[in-house]
Amino acid sequence: IKVVFKPVSFYQTLIAVENGDADIHAGCFFSQERSKTLDFVEPVVRVRTHFFVKKNILGIKHLKDLRGFRIGMIRGDAAIDYLKQKIPDATLAVYPDNQALFNAVKSGDIIAFVKDTNIALAMLKQKGILNEYRYFDEEPLYEADWLCAVRKGNDALARIVRNGMQQIPQADKAAVFLKWTGRSQDLA
């Protein structure tokens, strides 16, 4: 089966599958809201999410300590709902995609953000500012599977995706993960 990848912002990937403009979402977290329009098929990888803060900002140890900061995140990210539940009075700075968020991080417009850990580490490295930020590795905000998803009700495609994903050897999945993040899955 020929596969064509469409690189768009994360939020647009959700809309594309919901509208039928794309057949498969390569990976997102389950949520009740998303389950109204998507059927979740198969785990891709287990993902941790942390909050990150500039190393020179002292006194930050817990998520609630971010009150008073603009907290960066991307549109459509499950972390938005998570933060609204945990610290409803937080000031969220929502960016359209990872590039925009990490451009704001690099420029200093954002000094605290919430992001899937491996994506954050890869983006900080790409921007040359990995050594300027910290996170608390022993305490992720949450950990969950990224799941493939298809448009609600497309059972035939869900079966194809499930069967295909199950046939990919773990070593191949690990190689893709390493190329994507620069880290091995056991560090995820």
Side-chain angles (χ1 to χ4, degrees), residues 104-166:
V105 169
K106 183 170 182 160
S107 72
D109 187 42
I110 292 295
I111 60 172
F113 62 92
V114 173
K115 190 77 198 130
D116 305 331
T117 311
N118 285 304
I119 292 174
L121 294 171
M123 293 297 294
L124 289 168
K125 183 177 179 184
Q126 179 189 68
K127 297 291 183 184
I129 55 174
L130 180 61
N131 63 340
E132 296 178 28
Y133 281 82
R134 65 184 163 97
Y135 69 103
F136 299 93
D137 192 31
E138 65 280 355
E139 275 189 53
L141 296 178
Y142 53 88
E143 186 173 0
D145 288 327
W146 262 9
L147 302 156
C148 291
V150 299
R151 190 174 185 184
K152 190 84 173 162
N154 195 340
D155 297 334
L157 181 57
R159 279 191 298 281
I160 291 169
V161 171
R162 183 175 295 108
N163 291 337
M165 290 297 294
Q166 290 172 351

Side-chain angles (χ1 to χ4, degrees), residues 46-183:
R46 189 120 181 112
V47 176
R48 292 179 182 158
T49 299
H50 284 87
F51 72 85
F52 289 73
V53 67
K54 224 166 154 86
K55 284 182 179 177
N56 64 356
I57 306 297
L58 303 176
I60 307 277
K61 294 185 179 165
H62 305 285
L63 184 63
K64 64 181 170 124
D65 298 333
L66 295 180
R67 283 185 175 102
F69 292 93
R70 291 177 56 240
I71 305 169
M73 50 197 31
I74 64 166
R75 186 175 182 197
D77 195 326
I80 293 172
D81 291 334
Y82 179 86
L83 284 181
K84 285 180 179 177
Q85 287 179 341
K86 297 294 181 182
I87 46 175
D89 56 341
T91 302
L92 307 182
V94 180
Y95 291 86
D97 55 36
N98 283 326
Q99 285 299 332
L101 170 61
F102 285 93
N103 286 341
V105 169
K106 183 170 182 160
S107 72
D109 187 42
I110 292 295
I111 60 172
F113 62 92
V114 173
K115 190 77 198 130
D116 305 331
T117 311
N118 285 304
I119 292 174
L121 294 171
M123 293 297 294
L124 289 168
K125 183 177 179 184
Q126 179 189 68
K127 297 291 183 184
I129 55 174
L130 180 61
N131 63 340
E132 296 178 28
Y133 281 82
R134 65 184 163 97
Y135 69 103
F136 299 93
D137 192 31
E138 65 280 355
E139 275 189 53
L141 296 178
Y142 53 88
E143 186 173 0
D145 288 327
W146 262 9
L147 302 156
C148 291
V150 299
R151 190 174 185 184
K152 190 84 173 162
N154 195 340
D155 297 334
L157 181 57
R159 279 191 298 281
I160 291 169
V161 171
R162 183 175 295 108
N163 291 337
M165 290 297 294
Q166 290 172 351
Q167 291 180 39
I168 299 172
Q170 188 57 39
D172 290 353
K173 289 179 183 179
V176 169
F177 188 84
L178 179 63
K179 183 166 177 73
W180 170 55
T181 66
R183 296 167 53 95

